[in-house]
């Protein structure tokens, strides 16, 4: 085995462990009996230690150096694989072991306290834990920034969206922050003048909702022979290579929540399912990180799934499966229901117009913290002030304000931007696909996704990590990531309809 | 870390991998979408290679030697753990790597051919594959026999029932082979003179059968917070530490098959569930191999579960859950149904009287092959001759004769005896428990298993691998493993009732 082959063997092993973890995690969330949690935690911890040992094996550094000497003997996929292997190795080895350990501890502490502080609306209790964690994240960011020659915030972001620059995000988010508040007012005024939006009345039996999920997944060509649908308290898409499992939860009073959540998760699952078959066990065969992942879920949910053509196709399926009738169940109303815009306190319930404002707020606060421009104690005030400025509402409590997400207590710093960068990418990729393939929209109108998927397979799904995210987007759409397609799409949908 | 602690750490890691495998296997058989099989096989193979690497790490031999030097500093559980670690290491390292590889290949070949040769009744096609595999097993047996100072057959048996001697099995099986054929005739005559045994008429809806399984599991105190019941084509009990999952399959036409199969699997699961909590990740915390495992499943299925007292307790539950009525559903008839004895061709469908004869036949053939007393080509003839002698029937085809089990094609040699040694142990352990705890039988009559479980927890389940199988049995029952309790039990049940 030469040095490159050794690296492939190492990653094949890591991949096996990650696949095992994937099924164990799915099982944990869907099937595992509650009393098994403690024993399972031991198993998960040991598998995680094994991966860490492999990732930080000093022999890997030598193998990478040696493989880079023989770079010209590698084909383009192998070269990209080597680049990704090196990137992962640098991330895993940049931070000293004692800092990693402190971070695990601080994350655990912050998450535990958050679970109690949030319902008690007691930010003061969370603050010291959050401060301890943020101090460690700043330390991590400083070390990586120095090592990688990027800014500290980019160093955090790099795990979720490799190669992304702050100046790009600033440009995109400043553009949106200028555009959206005013646009939102226009949409709300137009909406207020339109017909009333009727909410179909429940209860909706859970088995019928599940039947609806499966019917919609059939329309979306979800490969049930290589995946599953199950129920979980916290929906996710996961599983293993060639075995992409999505989960959802049903609310008896409202079927619309899970309906589009399922479409969203199918987008994630199809991205995984379309990864390059020959490279499943190698880094270059991975999906291209979080911005691209979110682009694929949002493309299916927001761009294709919420297109008027597709909702009209779904309308009779929804009616027949749930047994609804009356004006609330007419296609016109179901379209309006899926296009309803309303500023709200909670990010995860936000529509596609207000969502980026939630993210921009978090991005600005994260940057201010990394730059030491504000303190932890300033966070609730800064949060509420920005909510008022962007969305015209002030949270009545920190419970539904600064403490609403688990991300910060979990140490997910630099992650939020990928949600809205993903939304921008979704619009831009969908627009490019439509320019290239005129059959896409007529297809959606009759529930035929093949024209769309054909283009996505070629330009996104099959590309794995052959390119960095921005290069992948630019190759697929012909331009760098920007806001134009998103603004055009929401303008067409919410003002010019 | 001293040498002993290093060994514990190694086995903690092996245990994590085995636990992961346990859940992956369960998932494979119950949940996995069919198209994921290929990718899953890669993951399973890699996890298996990792375990093999750990098991054959030369550093372990030194650590064992060093730990044995410090033996007097270890407590009894640690000492037993060290003994088991050494035993496992010797088994894993006795056979050269190329022989292991050849065996994997030969097993795969034989199993593949068996799947087609069995339905085609074509033993000639299977014979060369079986011969190749048997030759390798004989080689393995020879190497281990030399190394361990035991007979070649014992060397094979030792993986499934450590420390078991051929002379013991010969004594037990010769006794049974002398007793059972004649006893069987008496039982059949008595049965023929008794009331007709009525078969409740189906179809029985699968959801009702599942409800019955769950109801019976509730009676048996199955810990649903630390386990599950699911459907699988080939029922098994498995899962992971603290998470014992059983499976069954339902036949629409006959509910009795899955009913007692579930009781059997619950016996396996409760043995696992009762393992010593502090030692779950260590060899000494394992269940005590196959004979003991089968003793626990058969104790619950055959001794307790098929006791007249318990069937009478179940009768109204069965009737109510399945909605049956009429003479076939009366307790008297349900008891007779569960006590029906009939010689048949197929081992897995055999009752407790004829079952040992199926096993003795296989044992004798295995020994003859290991000793080179017969050739592979002689197998079908020898099989049919013994079936006639023991059970009074001759298989009309090799499909339901010599080719009925997958065990030999899978290389499971020396495994069959544990089924019937387990049956002997079940009777002996149950008798000892009843002598010690008079509340057991009254408990069964009202569906109260606690008196039985209390005794089993103390004397069997909590003992893990603290002792070798025979010592465990003798400590629990006061005598070496024998046939007396079994013969007394079947005589009482089938002749003196």
């Amino acid at each position: 085995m030469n040095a490159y082959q050794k690296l492939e063997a190492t990653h094949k092993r890591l991949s096996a462990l990650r696949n095992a973890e994937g099924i164990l995690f799915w099982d944990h969330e869907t099937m595992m009996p509650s009393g098994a949690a403690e024993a399972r935690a031991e198993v998960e911890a040991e598998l995680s230690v094994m991966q860490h040992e492999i990732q930080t094996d000093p022999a890997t550094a030598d193998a990478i150096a040696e493989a880079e000497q023989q770079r010209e003997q590698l084909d383009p996929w192998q070269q990209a694989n080597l680049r990704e292997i090196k990137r992962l190795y640098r991330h895993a080895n940049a931070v000293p072991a004692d800092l990693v350990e402190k971070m695990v501890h601080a994350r655990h502490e912050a998450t535990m306290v958050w679970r109690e502080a949030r319902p008690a609306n007691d930010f003061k209790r969370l603050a010291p834990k959050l401060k301890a964690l943020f101090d460690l994240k700043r330390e991590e960011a400083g070390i990586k920034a120095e090592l990688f020659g990027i800014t500290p915030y980019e160093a955090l972001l790099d795990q979720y969206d490799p190669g992304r620059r702050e100046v790009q995000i600033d440009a995109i988010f400043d553009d949106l922050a200028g555009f959206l508040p005013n646009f939102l007012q226009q949409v709300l005024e137009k909406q207020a003048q339109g017909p009333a939006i009727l909410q179909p009345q429940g209860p909706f039996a859970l088995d019928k909702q599940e039947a609806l999920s499966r019917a919609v997944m059939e329309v979306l060509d979800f490969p049930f022979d290589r995946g599953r649908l199950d129920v979980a308290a916290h929906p996710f898409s996961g599983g293993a290579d060639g075995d992409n499992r999505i989960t959802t939860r049903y609310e008896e009073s409202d079927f619309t929540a899970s309906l589009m959540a399922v479409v969203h998760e199918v987008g994630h699952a199809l991205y995984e399912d379309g990864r390059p078959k020959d490279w499943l066990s190698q880094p270059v065969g991975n999906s291209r990180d979080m911005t691209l992942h979110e682009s694929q879920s949002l493309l299916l949910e927001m761009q294709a799934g919420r297109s008027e053509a597709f909702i009209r196709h779904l309308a009779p399926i929804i009616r027949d499966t749930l047994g609804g009738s009356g004006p609330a169940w007419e296609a016109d109303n179901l379209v309006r229901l899926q296009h309803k815009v309303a500023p709200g306190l909670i990010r995860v319930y936000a529509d596609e117009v207000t969502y980026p404002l939630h993210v921009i707020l978090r991005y600005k606060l994260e940057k201010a913290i990394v730059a030491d421009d504000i303190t932890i104690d300033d966070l609730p005030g800064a949060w509420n002030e920005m909510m008022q400025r962007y969305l015209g509402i002030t949270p009545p409590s920190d419970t539904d304000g600064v403490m609403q997400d688990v991300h910060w207590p979990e140490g997910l710093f630099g992650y939020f931007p990928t949600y809205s960068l993903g939304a921008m990418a979704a619009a831009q990729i969908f627009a490019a696909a439509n320019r290239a393939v005129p059959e896409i929209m007529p297809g959606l109108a009759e529930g035929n996704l093949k024209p769309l998927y054909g283009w996505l397979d070629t330009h996104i799904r099959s590309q794995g990590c052959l390119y960095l995210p921005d290069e992948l987007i630019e190759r697929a759409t012909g331009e760098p990531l920007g806001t134009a397609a998103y603004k055009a799409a929401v303008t067409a949908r919410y003002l010019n309809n």
Side-chain angles (χ1 to χ4, degrees), chain A:
Chain A
M1 269 205 278
N2 66 28
Y4 173 77
Q5 288 163 334
K6 270 185 218 154
L7 293 170
E8 277 204 355
T10 299
H11 279 274
K12 189 174 172 223
R13 178 157 294 187
L14 282 169
S15 164
L17 289 168
R18 236 184 359 254
N19 271 281
E21 274 187 342
I23 298 298
L24 288 175
F25 177 79
W26 173 87
D27 182 84
H28 191 293
E29 300 294 306
T30 57
M31 299 287 161
M32 190 184 83
S34 60
E38 205 180 321
R40 177 66 66 87
E42 298 264 339
V43 172
E44 288 166 349
E46 186 70 29
L47 293 183
S48 160
V49 168
M50 291 176 78
Q51 286 174 77
H52 183 71
E53 281 180 20
I54 297 172
Q55 282 162 338
T56 55
D57 180 353
T60 300
D62 299 338
I64 290 173
E66 207 182 319
E68 284 193 322
Q69 299 284 320
Q70 304 153 345
R71 195 177 180 79
E72 68 284 355
Q73 292 157 34
L74 303 177
D75 72 25
W77 279 88
Q78 292 170 322
Q79 289 189 14
N81 197 32
L82 180 56
R83 183 197 65 220
E84 292 299 316
I85 287 171
K86 186 175 176 182
R87 199 176 71 73
L88 295 171
Y89 184 80
R90 280 159 49 116
H91 267 290
N93 290 274
V95 181
D98 67 325
L99 179 53
V100 171
E101 208 173 305
K102 277 188 215 160
M103 219 133 42
V104 169
H105 182 69
R107 261 202 309 262
H108 179 73
E109 289 267 291
T111 313
M112 298 294 282
V113 171
W114 173 81
R115 279 197 201 126
E116 294 176 359
R118 192 190 169 209
N121 189 33
D122 187 358
F123 183 77
K124 281 206 165 54
R125 227 182 116 200
L126 180 61
K129 302 294 176 190
L130 219 45
K131 183 170 184 317
L133 182 56
F134 282 174
D135 285 346
L136 296 169
K137 292 303 281 187
R138 241 196 320 255
E139 201 177 332
E140 177 192 350
I143 294 169
K144 285 189 176 175
E146 176 104 16
L147 207 62
F148 302 167
I150 52 182
T151 73
Y153 190 79
E154 285 167 357
L156 296 173
L157 186 65
D158 200 70
Q159 301 167 67
Y160 311 117
D161 195 6
R164 181 72 53 202
R165 298 283 82 90
E166 264 185 276
V167 288
Q168 270 185 302
I169 307 183
D170 286 340
I172 287 171
F173 283 3
D174 285 350
D175 185 14
L176 290 175
F179 169 78
L180 281 177
N182 185 40
F183 177 75
L184 172 61
Q185 290 314 313
Q186 291 176 269
V187 171
L188 292 176
E189 279 161 33
K190 185 168 192 296
Q191 198 172 262
Q193 287 154 16
I197 301 173
L198 308 172
Q199 190 74 37
Q201 291 305 306
F204 306 102
L206 302 194
D207 60 340
K208 287 192 178 173
Q209 289 198 56
E210 192 191 319
L212 178 60
S213 294
R214 289 184 188 276
V216 172
M217 289 168 77
E218 292 285 356
V219 173
L220 295 172
D221 282 339
F222 181 84
F224 278 103
D225 63 328
R226 299 190 299 279
R228 295 179 51 95
L229 168 70
D230 295 278
V231 169
H234 304 284
F236 63 96
S237 83
D241 293 345
D243 186 359
N244 297 295
R245 307 181 180 190
I246 71 168
T247 60
T248 192
R249 60 162 177 250
Y250 303 107
E251 284 175 34
E252 270 215 329
S253 59
D254 180 10
F255 71 88
T256 60
S258 79
L259 177 66
M260 280 297 157
V262 163
V263 177
H264 184 95
E265 298 302 338
V266 168
H268 282 305
L270 292 179
Y271 186 18
E272 290 292 319
D273 187 60
R275 287 161 52 207
K277 296 284 165 286
D278 294 342
W279 293 96
L280 289 183
S281 75
Q282 295 299 311
V284 74
N286 286 344
S287 50
R288 185 70 274 186
D289 306 276
M290 301 322 299
T291 291
L292 261 298
H293 235 303
E294 198 67 10
S295 85
Q296 296 306 291
S297 55
L298 289 176
L299 189 150
L300 212 61
E301 179 196 353
M302 294 296 183
Q303 303 295 323
R306 280 196 164 84
S307 68
E308 188 169 337
F310 191 68
I311 300 172
R312 288 191 183 280
H313 176 75
L314 288 189
I317 298 174
I318 295 171
R319 269 198 304 271
D320 293 352
T321 313
L322 299 180
S325 65
W329 298 84
E330 294 302 318
D332 284 345
N333 183 64
L334 292 174
V335 171
R336 282 192 291 270
L337 199 58
Q338 292 298 341
H339 289 177
K340 189 175 168 184
V341 171
L345 294 170
I346 306 294
R347 176 184 58 83
V348 295
Y349 299 145
D351 53 76
E352 64 174 326
V353 174
T354 55
Y355 200 112
L357 294 167
H358 289 270
V359 167
I360 294 167
L361 175 160
R362 287 157 177 76
Y363 172 67
K364 285 183 185 285
L365 293 177
E366 285 185 348
K367 292 228 300 180
I369 286 169
V370 170
D372 234 341
D373 286 345
I374 63 169
T375 68
I376 299 297
D377 298 332
D378 299 333
L379 271 181
W383 182 288
N384 292 349
E385 186 270 321
M386 264 197 271
M387 279 298 287
Q388 186 60 47
R389 174 145 46 100
Y390 287 153
L391 288 158
I393 45 180
T394 295
S397 72
D398 294 335
T399 301
D400 290 338
V402 68
M403 286 196 292
Q404 67 182 261
D405 296 317
V406 73
H407 295 56
W408 286 344
E410 274 188 347
L412 286 170
F413 234 64
Y415 184 102
F416 280 119
T418 66
Y419 288 122
S420 290
L421 296 172
M424 300 304 115
Q428 188 166 322
I429 291 169
F430 191 63
N434 275 296
R435 282 196 302 275
V437 185
E439 294 80 9
I440 289 176
M441 292 313 296
L444 289 180
E446 23 182 77
N448 175 14
L449 279 287
K450 285 186 183 59
L452 174 60
Y453 289 174
W455 191 92
L456 287 176
D457 276 332
T458 306
H459 293 89
I460 305 288
R461 295 173 184 165
S462 65
Q463 299 300 290
C465 288
L466 187 54
Y467 309 107
L468 287 173
D470 258 13
E471 199 183 347
L472 176 61
I473 292 171
E474 195 162 343
R475 291 179 72 102
T477 68
E479 50 200 347
L481 182 62
T483 59
Y486 166 81
K487 291 199 294 189
V490 291
T491 303
R493 179 171 290 172
Y494 296 101
L495 290 188
N496 299 341
N497 62 344

